[in-house]
Amino acid sequence: PVNFLQELPSYRSIARKRTNIPSRDKQSGTLLKPTDSYSSQLEEGIAENLNSQSIRKYALNISEKRRLRDIQETQMKYLSEWDQWKRYSSKSWKRFIEKAREMTTHLELWRDDIRSIGGKFGTGIQSYFSFLRFLVLLNLVIFLIIFMLVLLPILLTEYKITNSSFVLIPAKDIDIQCTVYPISSSGLIYFYSYIIDLLSGTGFLEETCLFYGHYTIDGVKFQNFTYDLPLAYLLSTIAYLALSLLWIVKRSVEGFKINLIRSEEHFQSYCNKIFAGWDFCITNQSMANLKHSSLRYELRADLEEERIRQKIAERTSEETIRIYSLRLFLNCIVLAVLAACFYAIYRATIFSQEHMKKEIDKMIFGENLLILYLPSIVITLANFITPVIFARIIHYEDYSPGFEIRLTILRCVFMRLATICVLVFTLGSKITSCDNYSCELCGYNQKLYPCWETQVGQEMYKLMIFDFIIILAVTLFVDFPRKLLVTYCSSWKLMQCWGQQEFAIPDNVLGIVYGQTICWIGAFFSPLLPAIATVKFIIIFYVKEMSLLHTCRPSPRQFRASNSNFFFLLVLLIGLCLAVIPLTISMAHIPSSKACGPFTNSNTTWEVVPKTVSTFPSTLQSLVHGITSEAFAVPFFMIICLVMFYFIALAGAHKRVVVQLREQLSLESRDKRYLIQKLTEAQRD
Amino acid sequence: MGQCLRYQIHWEDLEEYQALTFLTRNEIPVCRLNIHDTFLKLCPPGKYYKEATLTTDQVSSLPALRANPFRDRICRVFSHNDVFSFEDVLGMASVFSEQACPSLKIEYAFRIYDFNENGFIDEEDLQRIVLRLLNSDDVSEDLLTDLTSHVLNESDLDNDNMLSFSEFEHAMNKAPDFMNSFRIHFWGC
């Protein structure tokens, strides 16, 4: 029957489209050697699609491609002048684009390192490192935006490079008490206070351009115009948030398109695992053995999961009720654990803030640092303990294995990122709560926080430094000793149980997304934070690479690259959304400090925008007012909803058509087989 | 032990190879360098590199292909009369390079996976693919039939228990890992 199938016109036309060569020689299985009929058929093929693809895309070997190209060039002579010129210019344009692309790939950072990691440890871990590289670039671009919009005019004026001056508008209608900003300078400075200042952003670092308080300027007057610094500061914040969102969405669109097209269960495609399961770039035998065992594990686990899902579908209603009530109870426990951690962070922050205000210079060195870093320490401890608890709890909830992993990871992600929000909200509540008298004077607690944005910036700075120190410390004091112990004391039972380190992708990804969320929140309050984050991520890249190459063994359970990319970008997006919330609240609700910063003349940070809009010409003003009014927003929202419903209906209709076509196709195929069978029987008679 | 005549690749040849394949300017000489070393050790004396050939065993033992479970199929698809000329190797490297277009990779993947070379990937081919992937001795019949039936469920659109080229192409266009995994770096190994 297969012989007949190969003679069918549909098979032949597809074969011709593929290679421009007639049917394959069955015995040798290789392509036919060129003959006269071959070249005439080639010409037919070319005449069919004269605007065809470039020669490279043909599935022929090089000598045949050469012949094809010669034929194409002789064909070109029969074209008109215009067509020839068009063909020539499109070819040279394509060549130019390729050369440009080649040159940009040389500029790609760490290309060889990441490739060699992929060859040795698989594409899942390789995608972790390319994710890290993406974050380095993102932070660099964010810092460039902030530099161009905010730092550059100030530096130009300070160092007298251009002929400009600062504009300082005196504050009006504000109580003089709000503008008092005592810079603490004690008499005797101990030598270690510099170290404390460096680690916590107080003292000599507080007035530098690292923090918000340095930018107490209302404008920079150049020769022809006045550069509005408060507006630039606000716009740089909005710009970097928007840029991060767009870049992340652009990166995730490729993976998303593929996932949306599929109708099957996400991550569960057997075709993908079998035809695209083997990483062809694996070069050493031990890695190949590992890949074999991971494929064995994965395929068996998938089949197992199917069986469990069938079992779940066959549950009796009694069992279902029991399982659901158990799950409800366990979720309450999870919520209780989360609430306990959040409360601990809340108390630690309040304790740290209260004691920081007291005589911190009179304390001993260690106690100093402990109080300053208490929130960070509590957050880190909570992030060590809760994944263990979650992993224990989920066993009792009786989900399928794939779902278990995903739910645990989701809970850990939420835990990690929500801790930062809790910290920021605690600070916010402390800033807006005044104990004896109400905050009517300045809108915030100006006795304790004369310049509250700088202090929030200092907390973010401390979190970032502490996170960096912890990552370095864990690598130095846990990973390397573990590897040494395993290598030299492998006879101990404990070492055999514990074993060598595996590179745990989810934990590492959460760590760097945590760092990036801190950077996003902190960049408003501390404009140099993205630069620090860039340097930090660069150092982390090399540290993690060394740790991976020298202390880790490849994990038997490997993440796939496609899963990984989607997961990383999803977590990053959650971090971005969680970072935007405290920023919007602090920009729109909490009054900006009147003692420092660019927003001393407006009530809140956001007020700069309405003020600027009121300086526009009146037509533009009314346009802006029109767009932001309800009369525009409500119909706009309704139109968007209608468009969305239209596309959903369209997608449903397409899906129905696809199902019908598939049924039709299988019916046709049955007919075809029946006819072939009849034909073979008729031939036999 | 012979010595091949050591010729530098002429500039025009390099340009031509770059136009005809997906390899970049840097990859061709290095690729050739690797092959050239092997050529040096194994080919008969006094032969120009363009005319020298390698056997499939020699290509199978290249570091890039050594650990690949499908290396015999790769060699069979890309060789002519069971030998590799220099241009055959270049063609192979071009298909597996990063810049190659998806349609070319899908075409050659289909040829590689079609073990019995009847123009379709049928159940027998699928079973052999799975056995090569798992590379273990105790694979139960149930597991094999389960896996093959799942693959056919997902991608066999006309229900004839075989994958034709269009069905395979359709399935690979939806597979997110295909482009990433169907890559071999012949240089720098």
Side-chain angles (χ1 to χ4, degrees):
Chain A
V2 178
N3 301 355
F4 272 117
L5 288 170
Q6 283 184 346
E7 287 176 22
L8 287 173
S10 58
Y11 181 84
R12 287 185 165 225
S13 67
I14 290 182
R16 208 176 337 137
K17 253 191 274 175
R18 282 157 66 190
T19 62
N20 263 12
I21 280 191
S23 66
R24 276 198 269 156
D25 184 343
K26 249 189 70 179
Q27 277 132 356
S28 63
T30 57
L31 306 169
L32 281 178
K33 285 287 172 271
T35 58
D36 282 340
S37 62
Y38 158 74
S39 54
S40 64
Q41 229 148 356
L42 262 182
E43 282 189 39
E44 262 177 43
I46 296 172
E48 273 175 11
N49 42 5
L50 209 40
N51 295 325
S52 61
Q53 40 190 0
S54 76
I55 299 217
R56 297 174 181 182
K57 295 188 186 172
Y58 282 103
L60 305 167
N61 65 10
I62 291 189
S63 46
E64 279 151 5
K65 280 192 211 173
R66 231 181 247 137
R67 238 171 296 240
L68 186 64
R69 187 182 57 174
D70 293 336
I71 293 179
Q72 260 193 0
E73 273 171 16
T74 48
Q75 283 277 328
M76 285 254 282
K77 292 194 199 123
Y78 298 119
L79 293 174
S80 62
E81 282 284 321
W82 172 246
D83 281 333
Q84 274 191 23
W85 183 82
K86 245 191 350 185
R87 187 72 53 79
Y88 176 70
S89 58
S90 73
K91 266 212 188 129
S92 28
W93 174 248
K94 275 189 209 150
R95 218 172 292 164
F96 171 70
I97 297 269
E98 260 170 41
K99 284 221 169 78
R101 208 173 287 164
E102 219 181 304
M103 260 184 268
T104 47
T105 48
H106 278 301
L107 293 174
E108 217 177 282
L109 195 58
W110 295 318
R111 192 161 162 249
D112 299 329
D113 287 323
I114 293 185
R115 248 197 215 175
S116 72
I117 289 175
K120 290 195 200 128
F121 288 91
T123 47
I125 294 186
Q126 181 186 19
S127 49
Y128 166 80
F129 282 93
S130 46
F131 180 65
L132 194 50
R133 174 178 59 189
F134 163 65
L135 284 182
V136 167
L137 291 173
L138 180 68
N139 280 316
L140 194 63
V141 172
I142 292 178
F143 176 65
L144 279 175
I145 293 179
I146 295 182
F147 182 77
M148 304 281 263
L149 287 178
V150 174
L151 278 174
L152 194 62
I154 294 184
L155 286 175
L156 286 177
T157 315
E158 243 178 347
Y159 294 105
K160 310 231 183 310
I161 300 176
T162 58
N163 195 4
S164 51
S165 59
F166 290 136
V167 171
L168 295 161
I169 305 175
K172 20 179 163 50
D173 306 330
I174 299 177
D175 206 309
I176 196 76
Q177 280 190 343
C178 297
T179 55
V180 166
Y181 185 19
I183 310 280
S184 57
S185 52
S186 45
L188 270 177
I189 301 183
Y190 294 101
F191 77 98
Y192 58 75
S193 61
Y194 282 120
I195 304 180
I196 295 186
D197 286 343
L198 197 64
L199 288 175
S200 67
T202 47
F204 76 94
L205 274 183
E206 194 163 333
E207 305 135 40
T208 59
C209 58
L210 178 61
F211 291 115
Y212 175 94
H214 177 79
Y215 301 91
T216 313
I217 298 158
D218 290 298
V220 179
K221 192 163 145 72
F222 290 98
Q223 277 147 349
N224 302 337
F225 65 98
T226 311
Y227 186 78
D228 192 353
L229 194 76
L231 185 65
Y233 199 97
L234 184 63
L235 282 183
S236 71
T237 308
I238 298 178
Y240 80 70
L241 287 173
L243 172 80
S244 311
L245 179 69
L246 286 173
W247 202 345
I248 294 174
V249 168
K250 176 189 166 284
R251 258 179 95 96
S252 55
V253 153
E254 287 120 26
F256 220 61
K257 253 193 276 184
I258 296 170
N259 290 332
L260 282 179
I261 292 175
R262 285 198 275 167
S263 50
E264 292 100 327
E265 175 75 19
H266 193 56
F267 302 148
Q268 189 91 315
S269 168
Y270 286 92
C271 273
N272 188 35
K273 287 191 184 146
I274 290 187
F275 291 125
W278 181 261
D279 274 335
F280 276 63
C281 57
I282 291 179
T283 48
N284 63 11
Q285 190 61 40
S286 54
M287 186 60 203
N289 291 337
L290 211 69
K291 185 75 182 171
H292 283 301
S293 55
S294 101
L295 277 171
R296 280 194 289 262
Y297 176 87
E298 200 175 343
L299 291 172
R300 287 207 173 100
D302 279 341
L303 291 175
E304 182 65 33
E305 179 143 350
E306 282 253 344
R307 252 171 262 144
I308 290 183
R309 217 174 284 159
Q310 268 185 337
K311 213 179 65 175
I312 288 179
E314 292 163 6
R315 269 197 201 131
T316 63
S317 51
E318 201 182 79
E319 264 185 37
T320 323
I321 294 178
R322 187 185 70 88
I323 295 269
Y324 276 125
S325 49
L326 183 63
R327 281 188 196 163
L328 191 64
F329 173 64
L330 288 170
N331 274 312
C332 291
I333 295 189
V334 165
L335 285 174
V337 166
L338 285 176
C341 291
F342 292 162
Y343 185 69
I345 295 169
Y346 172 75
R347 288 241 48 101
T349 314
I350 296 208
F351 182 81
S352 160
Q353 292 287 315
E354 279 169 8
H355 285 260
M356 253 173 31
K357 299 299 161 193
K358 300 192 185 152
E359 309 279 328
I360 205 157
D361 302 314
K362 293 201 183 142
M363 294 187 223
I364 25 181
F365 183 57
E367 198 182 335
N368 244 345
L369 275 182
L370 192 67
I371 291 195
L372 283 174
Y373 274 88
L374 195 61
S376 322
I377 295 175
V378 172
I379 290 181
T380 314
L381 276 177
N383 284 323
F384 268 128
I385 300 176
T386 41
V388 177
I389 300 180
F390 290 155
R392 291 254 119 239
I393 288 182
I394 202 142
H395 278 303
Y396 299 107
E397 290 188 58
D398 203 15
Y399 291 115
S400 58
F403 191 71
E404 257 186 35
I405 299 176
R406 268 179 265 165
L407 193 60
T408 321
I409 291 179
L410 208 64
R411 283 179 180 157
C412 292
V413 166
F414 179 69
M415 169 73 201
R416 266 262 164 133
L417 300 177
T419 49
I420 311 176
C421 279
V422 168
L423 179 72
V424 178
F425 281 127
T426 318
L427 283 175
S429 69
K430 280 232 72 171
I431 290 168
T432 50
S433 74
C434 318
D435 22 45
N436 298 338
Y437 50 99
S438 55
C439 293
E440 274 168 9
L441 211 50
C442 311
Y444 56 92
N445 191 346
Q446 103 286 353
K447 254 179 65 175
L448 289 177
Y449 299 101
C451 189
W452 61 266
E453 285 102 340
T454 304
Q455 267 139 348
V456 176
Q458 283 167 348
E459 283 298 326
M460 295 292 119
Y461 174 77
K462 277 190 276 183
L463 274 181
M464 180 161 277
I465 300 276
F466 190 70
D467 180 47
F468 181 50
I469 292 177
I470 286 285
I471 291 182
L472 287 180
V474 164
T475 314
L476 272 178
F477 298 123
V478 175
D479 293 346
F480 276 98
R482 183 171 174 177
K483 161 84 181 194
L484 287 172
L485 281 175
V486 169
T487 330
Y488 294 118
C489 309
S490 52
S491 50
W492 295 2
K493 257 255 168 97
L494 186 65
M495 288 305 127
Q496 277 170 357
C497 279
W498 202 18
Q500 210 177 348
Q501 172 97 326
E502 276 172 19
F503 194 84
I505 291 184
D507 293 329
N508 281 301
V509 168
L510 280 183
I512 56 181
V513 170
Y514 173 74
Q516 184 59 39
T517 312
I518 297 176
C519 176
W520 273 323
I521 298 180
F524 176 71
F525 303 107
S526 160
L528 290 187
L529 212 59
I532 300 177
T534 312
V535 172
K536 169 185 165 195
F537 282 138
I538 291 178
I539 299 180
I540 288 180
F541 182 92
Y542 286 112
V543 164
K544 287 284 173 196
E545 187 186 1
M546 268 202 321
S547 157
L548 176 74
L549 293 174
H550 295 293
T551 69
C552 292
R553 67 182 157 120
S555 153
R557 241 188 48 202
Q558 294 195 355
F559 266 72
R560 291 181 167 281
S562 54
N563 289 10
S564 315
N565 283 332
F566 180 69
F567 165 68
F568 299 163
L569 291 166
L570 183 70
V571 174
L572 197 62
L573 213 54
I574 295 178
L576 181 62
C577 296
L578 283 178
V580 165
I581 299 176
L583 275 180
T584 33
I585 293 184
S586 73
M587 284 203 285
H589 280 288
I590 303 184
S592 53
S593 43
K594 307 289 178 280
C596 61
F599 300 103
T600 49
N601 273 326
S602 38
N603 199 9
T604 60
T605 313
W606 182 254
E607 248 187 38
V608 176
V609 172
K611 269 197 203 166
T612 320
V613 169
S614 60
T615 61
F616 287 169
S618 58
T619 39
L620 200 56
Q621 249 188 68
S622 45
L623 184 67
V624 172
H625 282 298
I627 292 182
T628 52
S629 67
E630 290 93 19
F632 178 80
V634 171
F636 184 68
F637 177 69
M638 280 175 43
I639 292 178
I640 296 233
C641 283
L642 283 174
V643 170
M644 197 172 68
F645 283 137
Y646 167 71
F647 278 116
I648 292 177
L650 198 65
H654 279 307
K655 206 167 168 192
R656 276 195 297 276
V657 168
V658 165
V659 167
Q660 280 176 353
L661 284 175
R662 277 182 79 141
E663 277 176 22
Q664 184 91 354
L665 200 56
S666 56
L667 285 176
E668 295 289 322
S669 159
R670 255 189 24 208
D671 284 346
K672 191 168 65 176
R673 273 178 290 156
Y674 174 78
L675 287 173
I676 287 181
Q677 199 186 359
K678 281 275 176 213
L679 199 59
T680 18
E681 280 173 17
Q683 272 198 342
R684 241 183 277 142
D685 304 331
Chain B
M1 286 291 176
Q3 287 264 336
C4 255
L5 291 175
R6 203 192 263 276
Y7 279 96
Q8 287 288 63
I9 291 193
H10 294 304
W11 188 80
E12 305 92 48
D13 288 344
L14 203 59
E15 279 282 310
E16 189 188 33
Y17 289 144
Q18 212 183 352
L20 294 177
T21 65
F22 278 101
L23 298 171
T24 61
R25 192 178 292 264
N26 301 327
E27 291 173 348
I28 299 179
V30 181
C31 174
R32 171 201 153 244
L33 212 54
N34 268 331
I35 315 288
H36 206 204
D37 288 343
T38 332
F39 269 51
L40 278 180
K41 286 181 223 147
L42 300 159
C43 71
K47 262 207 151 164
Y48 185 39
Y49 78 89
K50 270 198 182 174
E51 294 161 2
T53 57
L54 290 180
T55 64
T56 49
D57 290 323
Q58 288 169 326
V59 173
S60 292
S61 55
L62 278 179
L65 289 181
R66 244 195 316 238
N68 199 317
F70 297 107
R71 57 185 178 275
D72 59 332
R73 287 298 306 158
I74 295 176
C75 291
R76 182 143 168 89
V77 166
F78 286 102
S79 62
H80 288 109
N81 297 331
D82 282 332
V83 287
F84 275 89
S85 72
F86 177 63
E87 297 188 341
D88 289 331
V89 176
L90 273 192
M92 180 168 65
S94 161
V95 168
F96 283 112
S97 78
E98 266 182 18
Q99 297 93 338
C101 63
S103 55
L104 194 62
K105 288 194 195 257
I106 292 177
E107 164 67 42
Y108 278 98
F110 186 75
R111 290 190 204 176
I112 290 174
Y113 287 137
D114 185 9
F115 277 76
N116 49 19
E117 290 175 3
N118 58 359
F120 296 92
I121 297 183
D122 48 20
E123 282 185 44
E124 179 198 333
D125 292 330
L126 280 175
Q127 289 195 350
R128 282 161 84 165
I129 296 174
V130 171
L131 282 172
R132 293 283 181 102
L133 281 179
L134 298 183
N135 198 31
S136 96
D137 296 324
D138 60 342
V139 182
S140 62
E141 277 298 309
D142 293 339
L143 183 69
L144 276 179
T145 39
D146 246 341
L147 286 173
T148 45
S149 63
H150 273 108
V151 171
L152 288 172
N153 274 341
E154 283 180 5
S155 49
D156 188 15
L157 298 173
D158 57 3
N159 277 349
D160 57 356
N161 276 345
M162 291 192 294
L163 287 181
S164 69
F165 177 72
S166 338
E167 290 165 343
F168 181 75
E169 188 179 18
H170 189 233
M172 288 302 104
N173 276 326
K174 292 195 296 184
D177 285 325
F178 178 70
M179 286 299 289
N180 283 332
S181 58
F182 208 70
R183 251 184 232 179
I184 300 184
H185 302 134
F186 279 97
W187 60 283
C189 346

